[in-house]
Amino acid sequence: MGNTGFLYLVFSLIIVVALVFDLGLLSKKNQVITIKTALVQTLFWVFLSFAFCVFIWFRDEGGTGKPDAISFLSAYLLEWSLSIDNIFVFIIIFTFFGVKEKNYSRVLLAGILMAIIFRIIFIAAGSELVARFDWIMYVFGVFLVYTGVKMFGSNEEEEFAPDKNWAFKLLKKIMRTTDAEPDGRFVIVKSGRLFFTKLAMVVVMLGLIDIVFALDSIPAVFSVIPDPGKKMLIYSSNIFAVLGLRSLFFLLRGAANKFNYLQQGIAVVLLFIGIKMLIEKWIHFPVWVSLLVIVFCIGSSIFYSVWHKQKNGSVETPE
């Protein structure tokens, strides 16, 4: 078995064992997740991600262990920071559909598993495009610069509205739905006909909305790992970040209004990555530079958000 094949095997075993442990020991059906439990689960997934990074570091075949580990960590932190935007949208969707707190964990898990499937498809397609067309990296770069500029200037008035979203309108057209109390069920049979409940709507919406986020995150991760032969690093960094979304959701849902400037921090990261992709032919940035930029921008934006809120004593929207 080759080095890449062995990495796939180790990664798959880690994910299977981790899911069994997370769902079997750290979570219970219809359990209301507390901040303490969410913190434990978040630390659990972060620990696994860093442990896998250490494994890559020391599995140094052909002298690629250390640079591959840095690339994995950079891609993981990038995807992790971008996924925070997903969480704030998830909070809005759950509130809009009136999902009961005891169903949060189950619905999130189903939606995240759907998101993972979409991510695998996007990464496979992106790797094939990068391998066939060198110029596609410039397209990714322009798209990320545009997204960064747009995100930096957006405000709360442009807040996500589920009832006006394309995914919601599409699902209302193609799914036979019911407003009856789901009581934890995804489908209900009435008069011999099958109806999808609002929980099923939420699950599918979470998966479809992630497609939009993948349009940003997948091109971004190729800036850190441009070699299509390193798909394993791209897959693992993405999947670890997405699997940690569920616990991160419970950890951050009460603090959604405390990080007013986080969006600007993420926007600067996207701008840097987009510009980096556009000038890579002339100016090469080591992967560790990207890692430092990601950590600095996200950390600074969170710190400044908290400091600004405490200083003014109220939540203000950045202009």
Side-chain angles (χ1 to χ4, degrees):
M1 181 182 294
N3 186 38
T4 301
F6 184 69
L7 278 177
Y8 272 109
L9 176 61
V10 172
F11 173 68
S12 300
L13 289 175
I14 289 175
I15 293 301
V16 171
V17 173
L19 281 174
V20 171
F21 182 78
D22 185 24
L23 299 178
L25 298 179
L26 298 181
S27 301
K28 295 179 182 179
K29 187 176 181 181
N30 295 331
Q31 177 188 19
V32 175
I33 305 297
T34 63
I35 294 293
K36 181 180 179 181
T37 301
L39 178 61
V40 171
Q41 292 176 339
T42 299
L43 292 175
F44 171 73
W45 284 110
V46 171
F47 170 79
L48 279 182
S49 305
F50 276 79
F52 187 69
C53 179
V54 172
F55 173 78
I56 295 173
W57 179 285
F58 285 104
R59 186 171 171 77
D60 196 10
E61 293 191 3
T64 61
K66 293 180 181 179
D68 281 354
I70 295 175
S71 295
F72 167 84
L73 183 59
S74 301
Y76 169 72
L77 291 178
L78 174 62
E79 294 300 319
W80 193 82
S81 60
L82 290 175
S83 69
I84 296 177
D85 250 10
N86 299 39
I87 291 174
F88 296 153
V89 171
F90 289 177
I91 293 171
I92 296 172
I93 292 175
F94 274 62
T95 302
F96 174 79
F97 282 97
V99 179
K100 291 184 177 179
E101 197 169 349
K102 66 179 183 179
N103 294 320
Y104 279 8
S105 186
R106 185 183 177 206
V107 172
L108 276 170
L109 177 64
I112 286 170
L113 291 178
M114 276 190 65
I116 287 175
I117 294 173
F118 288 133
R119 292 297 180 103
I120 291 173
I121 295 172
F122 270 84
I123 291 170
S127 297
E128 186 65 24
L129 287 173
V130 171
R132 289 176 177 269
F133 311 106
D134 292 339
W135 51 263
I136 201 69
M137 295 295 284
Y138 295 107
V139 176
F140 287 167
V142 171
F143 179 74
L144 290 176
V145 169
Y146 168 77
T147 303
V149 172
K150 184 178 179 181
M151 181 182 291
F152 193 88
S154 63
N155 53 52
E156 288 184 358
E157 293 178 0
E158 301 169 6
E159 189 177 71
F160 176 82
D163 57 326
K164 299 178 181 178
N165 184 261
W166 64 272
F168 177 80
K169 294 178 180 178
L170 175 64
L171 294 179
K172 290 293 287 186
K173 288 182 179 180
I174 65 176
M175 294 173 66
R176 185 189 298 132
T177 61
T178 176
D179 293 325
E181 172 57 43
D183 194 26
R185 292 172 293 177
F186 293 116
V187 294
I188 292 177
V189 178
K190 295 193 301 184
S191 303
R193 304 176 70 189
L194 188 70
F195 291 84
F196 291 97
T197 67
K198 61 183 179 183
L199 292 185
M201 287 274 288
V202 171
V203 168
V204 179
M205 273 200 75
L206 295 183
L208 292 179
I209 291 300
D210 188 72
I211 293 178
V212 177
F213 288 107
L215 292 176
D216 295 336
S217 65
I218 300 304
V221 80
F222 276 110
S223 75
V224 178
I225 310 174
D227 184 357
K230 302 283 188 180
K231 284 198 294 287
M232 176 58 212
L233 299 178
I234 301 175
Y235 281 131
S236 56
S237 59
N238 254 266
I239 292 175
F240 269 124
V242 172
L243 283 173
L245 269 179
R246 189 166 62 101
S247 56
L248 201 58
F249 170 90
F250 292 106
L251 193 63
L252 294 180
R253 64 185 176 127
N257 64 340
K258 294 181 180 179
F259 304 134
N260 284 21
Y261 292 86
L262 178 60
Q263 182 171 285
Q264 278 65 34
I266 295 174
V268 172
V269 170
L270 292 179
L271 280 169
F272 168 78
I273 289 173
I275 293 172
K276 174 178 174 289
M277 296 175 81
L278 294 174
I279 65 175
E280 187 74 17
K281 184 177 179 180
W282 301 277
I283 303 175
H284 175 70
F285 289 95
V287 176
W288 60 266
V289 173
S290 299
L291 177 59
L292 289 178
V293 170
I294 294 166
V295 172
F296 176 78
C297 289
I298 302 304
S300 298
S301 61
I302 291 175
F303 174 80
Y304 183 74
S305 296
V306 175
W307 175 82
H308 190 269
K309 182 176 184 296
Q310 291 177 344
K311 179 184 177 183
N312 293 276
S314 61
V315 178
E316 295 182 10
T317 305
E319 296 181 359

